[in-house]
Amino acid sequence: MKKSKTFLKAAVLSLAAAMMLAACGGKSEETSGSSAKKDALTEIKDRGKIVIGVKNDTRLFGLKNPKTGEVEGFDVDISKQLAKEILGDENKVEFKEVTSKTRVPLLQKGDIDAVVATMTITDERKKEVDFTDVYFQAGQSLLVKKGSKIKSVDDLKKGTKVLAVKGSTSAINIRGKAPETTVLEFENYAEAFTALKSKQGDALTTDDAILYGMADEDPSYELVGKPFTEEPYGIAVKKGNKELVDALNDALKKIKDSGKYDEIHDKWIKQ
């Protein structure tokens, strides 16, 4: 009887030791796996390129040149300089097309490292992504056919139609500023501008910097009234990537301090 109790006690102790060892081993593996996980900045450096989402339909900021197939604009040139500061070469950047609607989902899926695409910093968006410092200051305005009776946001009454882009802050803002007007939303700026030219609406609203590009494309259209919002653009990254945000902010500062930022700005934004 005594022998049986001793054997039982030894078995229990062995089982307890095995369980503790397994628990420790599991924790060790978990810790090891966690520490092995690279942050976004390290992954970019190891990969040797940064993948940036830019718009392909926004004149002056990101527009695909039909002759070369290359995307050109302010956001594109800024992105090249960011790659130069972070990776030592402005060519170490890959561009992927985004729209106001797709840029956050593509970022969260990991298809792109950052968004440089006329993206306004808002409290709502900060819940989904992290932003750098402001890299461009814009303001929402209206684009109309020259000779239009609409001269400012105050002229948007019941019966008027305003065109905007899905996923943009512009559509939200205009509903607040002119609640009686009808807002029609399109997939991108090219579609919205085509709709304005085909008289599907009385005005098109978005950031003034983008509207200047449309007026530059077709001088029969003009901006009216003063900007009625502030639209600070930021570079967006996946939430929690502090190292990447810090690196982008450092790069932005160097670009501005060197005078390169002003050079790019004056090249594209002439108003």
Side-chain angles (χ1 to χ4, degrees):
M1 187 76 175
K2 187 175 179 182
K3 199 170 186 179
S4 176
K5 285 183 178 180
T6 303
F7 177 79
L8 182 61
K9 185 177 180 180
V12 170
L13 288 171
S14 297
L15 181 60
M19 289 175 69
M20 286 179 67
L21 187 61
C24 290
K27 186 176 182 181
S28 176
E29 287 175 12
E30 184 181 336
T31 305
S32 175
S34 175
S35 62
K37 186 178 179 182
K38 298 176 183 178
D39 63 77
L41 180 60
T42 301
E43 287 183 358
I44 289 167
K45 290 182 175 180
D46 288 348
R47 188 197 307 142
K49 70 175 179 181
I50 182 168
V51 183
I52 295 181
V54 296
K55 290 180 176 176
N56 285 17
D57 68 335
T58 308
R59 195 176 182 88
L60 304 184
F61 282 83
L63 182 69
K64 181 171 280 190
N65 186 321
K67 294 180 180 178
T68 64
E70 299 294 323
V71 186
E72 301 169 346
F74 178 84
D75 284 346
V76 174
D77 285 357
I78 288 293
S79 297
K80 288 178 180 178
Q81 289 303 307
L82 293 173
K84 184 177 181 179
E85 293 296 337
I86 294 173
L87 298 172
D89 186 344
E90 69 172 36
N91 295 311
K92 290 185 176 181
V93 56
E94 178 184 340
F95 293 112
K96 287 196 175 182
E97 181 181 5
V98 299
T99 65
S100 296
K101 183 179 176 181
T102 65
R103 55 195 172 189
V104 172
L106 288 173
L107 190 63
Q108 291 176 334
K109 282 170 60 182
D111 291 348
I112 51 180
D113 299 311
V115 172
V116 186
T118 64
M119 190 170 182
T120 302
I121 301 170
T122 68
D123 289 337
E124 280 302 306
R125 285 175 177 165
K126 284 180 181 178
K127 296 174 184 177
E128 297 183 299
V129 301
D130 285 337
F131 282 104
T132 62
D133 298 333
V134 176
Y135 77 94
F136 188 90
Q137 183 67 55
Q140 189 171 341
S141 191
L142 297 172
L143 183 75
V144 300
K145 184 80 171 178
K146 285 182 177 177
S148 171
K149 292 180 180 179
I150 296 173
K151 302 300 180 186
S152 74
V153 70
D154 296 331
D155 296 321
L156 300 177
K157 307 294 184 183
K158 189 174 182 179
T160 57
K161 293 181 180 178
V162 180
L163 313 178
V165 171
K166 293 178 182 177
S168 68
T169 54
S170 305
I172 298 169
N173 293 338
I174 202 65
R175 286 187 173 99
K177 293 287 183 179
E180 291 187 342
T181 197
T182 300
V183 180
L184 304 178
E185 296 182 61
F186 294 82
E187 291 296 328
N188 54 54
Y189 296 112
E191 286 185 15
F193 193 28
T194 299
L196 180 65
K197 289 188 282 188
S198 63
K199 300 181 180 179
Q200 294 181 45
D202 304 293
L204 192 158
T205 188
T206 186
D207 305 340
D208 53 3
I210 298 172
L211 295 178
Y212 280 128
M214 296 178 187
D216 182 63
E217 178 185 340
D218 188 338
S220 66
Y221 289 84
E222 64 180 354
L223 279 71
V224 293
K226 295 180 180 179
F228 49 88
T229 68
E230 290 186 353
E231 305 295 328
Y233 294 169
I235 299 168
V237 305
K238 197 171 183 179
K239 202 144 188 69
N241 287 331
K242 184 179 183 303
E243 296 87 354
L244 181 54
V245 171
D246 290 344
L248 289 167
N249 278 333
D250 288 343
L252 277 174
K253 186 176 185 305
K254 289 176 182 176
I255 294 167
K256 290 179 178 179
D257 290 347
S258 70
K260 191 66 180 177
Y261 179 93
D262 290 337
E263 182 184 320
I264 294 171
H265 183 280
D266 293 345
K267 173 184 174 183
W268 294 104
I269 316 298
K270 303 182 189 302
Q271 286 77 16

mmCIF file of all heavy atoms in Angstrom, residues 83-100:
data_model
loop_
_atom_site.group_PDB
_atom_site.id
_atom_site.type_symbol
_atom_site.label_atom_id
_atom_site.label_comp_id
_atom_site.label_asym_id
_atom_site.label_seq_id
_atom_site.Cartn_x
_atom_site.Cartn_y
_atom_site.Cartn_z
ATOM 1 N N ALA A 83 11.629 58.137 -50.703
ATOM 2 C CA ALA A 83 12.409 56.920 -50.961
ATOM 3 C C ALA A 83 13.907 57.235 -50.940
ATOM 4 O O ALA A 83 14.715 56.451 -50.417
ATOM 5 C CB ALA A 83 12.013 56.324 -52.309
ATOM 6 N N LYS A 84 14.264 58.382 -51.473
ATOM 7 C CA LYS A 84 15.676 58.780 -51.504
ATOM 8 C C LYS A 84 16.214 58.972 -50.093
ATOM 9 O O LYS A 84 17.339 58.552 -49.776
ATOM 10 C CB LYS A 84 15.834 60.063 -52.311
ATOM 11 C CG LYS A 84 17.285 60.503 -52.482
ATOM 12 C CD LYS A 84 17.380 61.741 -53.359
ATOM 13 C CE LYS A 84 18.834 62.176 -53.556
ATOM 14 N NZ LYS A 84 18.941 63.369 -54.418
ATOM 15 N N GLU A 85 15.412 59.608 -49.235
ATOM 16 C CA GLU A 85 15.855 59.861 -47.857
ATOM 17 C C GLU A 85 15.921 58.582 -47.034
ATOM 18 O O GLU A 85 16.828 58.403 -46.226
ATOM 19 C CB GLU A 85 14.927 60.878 -47.183
ATOM 20 C CG GLU A 85 14.982 62.288 -47.758
ATOM 21 C CD GLU A 85 16.330 62.949 -47.584
ATOM 22 O OE1 GLU A 85 17.096 62.544 -46.681
ATOM 23 O OE2 GLU A 85 16.641 63.860 -48.369
ATOM 24 N N ILE A 86 14.958 57.689 -47.229
ATOM 25 C CA ILE A 86 14.878 56.477 -46.403
ATOM 26 C C ILE A 86 15.751 55.351 -46.938
ATOM 27 O O ILE A 86 16.387 54.616 -46.173
ATOM 28 C CB ILE A 86 13.412 56.008 -46.286
ATOM 29 C CG1 ILE A 86 12.595 57.048 -45.494
ATOM 30 C CG2 ILE A 86 13.317 54.646 -45.612
ATOM 31 C CD1 ILE A 86 11.103 56.772 -45.463
ATOM 32 N N LEU A 87 15.816 55.222 -48.284
ATOM 33 C CA LEU A 87 16.528 54.093 -48.894
ATOM 34 C C LEU A 87 17.737 54.508 -49.725
ATOM 35 O O LEU A 87 18.431 53.659 -50.274
ATOM 36 C CB LEU A 87 15.562 53.284 -49.762
ATOM 37 C CG LEU A 87 14.387 52.635 -49.013
ATOM 38 C CD1 LEU A 87 13.396 52.041 -50.000
ATOM 39 C CD2 LEU A 87 14.878 51.566 -48.047
ATOM 40 N N GLY A 88 17.968 55.828 -49.845
ATOM 41 C CA GLY A 88 19.146 56.291 -50.549
ATOM 42 C C GLY A 88 19.022 56.414 -52.053
ATOM 43 O O GLY A 88 19.980 56.757 -52.737
ATOM 44 N N ASP A 89 17.825 56.129 -52.583
ATOM 45 C CA ASP A 89 17.634 56.153 -54.033
ATOM 46 C C ASP A 89 16.169 56.442 -54.342
ATOM 47 O O ASP A 89 15.285 55.708 -53.886
ATOM 48 C CB ASP A 89 18.039 54.801 -54.637
ATOM 49 C CG ASP A 89 18.020 54.783 -56.161
ATOM 50 O OD1 ASP A 89 17.421 55.692 -56.766
ATOM 51 O OD2 ASP A 89 18.594 53.845 -56.744
ATOM 52 N N GLU A 90 15.900 57.505 -55.109
ATOM 53 C CA GLU A 90 14.519 57.862 -55.418
ATOM 54 C C GLU A 90 13.810 56.839 -56.298
ATOM 55 O O GLU A 90 12.587 56.852 -56.412
ATOM 56 C CB GLU A 90 14.456 59.233 -56.096
ATOM 57 C CG GLU A 90 15.029 59.284 -57.484
ATOM 58 C CD GLU A 90 14.753 60.622 -58.162
ATOM 59 O OE1 GLU A 90 14.769 61.668 -57.482
ATOM 60 O OE2 GLU A 90 14.530 60.605 -59.382
ATOM 61 N N ASN A 91 14.574 55.957 -56.907
ATOM 62 C CA ASN A 91 13.976 54.917 -57.753
ATOM 63 C C ASN A 91 13.540 53.685 -56.961
ATOM 64 O O ASN A 91 12.908 52.786 -57.519
ATOM 65 C CB ASN A 91 14.960 54.489 -58.846
ATOM 66 C CG ASN A 91 15.253 55.618 -59.812
ATOM 67 O OD1 ASN A 91 14.348 56.270 -60.311
ATOM 68 N ND2 ASN A 91 16.539 55.876 -60.059
ATOM 69 N N LYS A 92 13.867 53.659 -55.663
ATOM 70 C CA LYS A 92 13.489 52.512 -54.841
ATOM 71 C C LYS A 92 12.081 52.685 -54.275
ATOM 72 O O LYS A 92 11.829 52.530 -53.088
ATOM 73 C CB LYS A 92 14.510 52.305 -53.719
ATOM 74 C CG LYS A 92 15.856 51.811 -54.237
ATOM 75 C CD LYS A 92 16.823 51.492 -53.121
ATOM 76 C CE LYS A 92 18.116 50.910 -53.671
ATOM 77 N NZ LYS A 92 19.084 50.573 -52.589
ATOM 78 N N VAL A 93 11.157 53.029 -55.172
ATOM 79 C CA VAL A 93 9.751 53.185 -54.795
ATOM 80 C C VAL A 93 8.901 52.521 -55.868
ATOM 81 O O VAL A 93 9.193 52.634 -57.061
ATOM 82 C CB VAL A 93 9.367 54.672 -54.629
ATOM 83 C CG1 VAL A 93 9.662 55.464 -55.891
ATOM 84 C CG2 VAL A 93 7.902 54.834 -54.254
ATOM 85 N N GLU A 94 7.892 51.815 -55.434
ATOM 86 C CA GLU A 94 6.919 51.211 -56.351
ATOM 87 C C GLU A 94 5.575 51.891 -56.116
ATOM 88 O O GLU A 94 5.137 52.026 -54.974
ATOM 89 C CB GLU A 94 6.784 49.712 -56.091
ATOM 90 C CG GLU A 94 5.744 49.034 -56.980
ATOM 91 C CD GLU A 94 5.551 47.558 -56.653
ATOM 92 O OE1 GLU A 94 6.463 46.954 -56.023
ATOM 93 O OE2 GLU A 94 4.495 47.007 -57.003
ATOM 94 N N PHE A 95 4.943 52.327 -57.192
ATOM 95 C CA PHE A 95 3.662 53.013 -57.072
ATOM 96 C C PHE A 95 2.508 52.071 -57.395
ATOM 97 O O PHE A 95 2.572 51.308 -58.357
ATOM 98 C CB PHE A 95 3.607 54.217 -58.010
ATOM 99 C CG PHE A 95 4.564 55.312 -57.630
ATOM 100 C CD1 PHE A 95 5.659 55.615 -58.431
ATOM 101 C CD2 PHE A 95 4.388 56.037 -56.459
ATOM 102 C CE1 PHE A 95 6.538 56.620 -58.086
ATOM 103 C CE2 PHE A 95 5.273 57.037 -56.093
ATOM 104 C CZ PHE A 95 6.355 57.328 -56.906
ATOM 105 N N LYS A 96 1.469 52.146 -56.560
ATOM 106 C CA LYS A 96 0.238 51.393 -56.820
ATOM 107 C C LYS A 96 -0.926 52.371 -56.814
ATOM 108 O O LYS A 96 -0.975 53.284 -55.974
ATOM 109 C CB LYS A 96 0.022 50.302 -55.771
ATOM 110 C CG LYS A 96 0.973 49.128 -55.930
ATOM 111 C CD LYS A 96 0.512 47.909 -55.148
ATOM 112 C CE LYS A 96 1.414 46.716 -55.410
ATOM 113 N NZ LYS A 96 0.957 45.498 -54.698
ATOM 114 N N GLU A 97 -1.852 52.172 -57.725
ATOM 115 C CA GLU A 97 -2.982 53.090 -57.834
ATOM 116 C C GLU A 97 -3.957 52.921 -56.676
ATOM 117 O O GLU A 97 -4.311 51.804 -56.294
ATOM 118 C CB GLU A 97 -3.726 52.856 -59.148
ATOM 119 C CG GLU A 97 -4.912 53.792 -59.339
ATOM 120 C CD GLU A 97 -5.668 53.563 -60.631
ATOM 121 O OE1 GLU A 97 -5.333 52.608 -61.360
ATOM 122 O OE2 GLU A 97 -6.610 54.333 -60.908
ATOM 123 N N VAL A 98 -4.390 54.048 -56.134
ATOM 124 C CA VAL A 98 -5.445 54.051 -55.115
ATOM 125 C C VAL A 98 -6.465 55.122 -55.486
ATOM 126 O O VAL A 98 -6.182 56.027 -56.266
ATOM 127 C CB VAL A 98 -4.895 54.345 -53.694
ATOM 128 C CG1 VAL A 98 -3.907 53.289 -53.266
ATOM 129 C CG2 VAL A 98 -4.273 55.744 -53.620
ATOM 130 N N THR A 99 -7.648 55.008 -54.911
ATOM 131 C CA THR A 99 -8.664 56.053 -55.007
ATOM 132 C C THR A 99 -9.028 56.440 -53.577
ATOM 133 O O THR A 99 -8.577 55.804 -52.614
ATOM 134 C CB THR A 99 -9.924 55.559 -55.742
ATOM 135 O OG1 THR A 99 -10.551 54.525 -54.948
ATOM 136 C CG2 THR A 99 -9.583 54.995 -57.117
ATOM 137 N N SER A 100 -9.860 57.458 -53.432
ATOM 138 C CA SER A 100 -10.290 57.858 -52.085
ATOM 139 C C SER A 100 -10.985 56.701 -51.376
ATOM 140 O O SER A 100 -10.909 56.573 -50.148
ATOM 141 C CB SER A 100 -11.237 59.061 -52.177
ATOM 142 O OG SER A 100 -10.563 60.180 -52.705
#
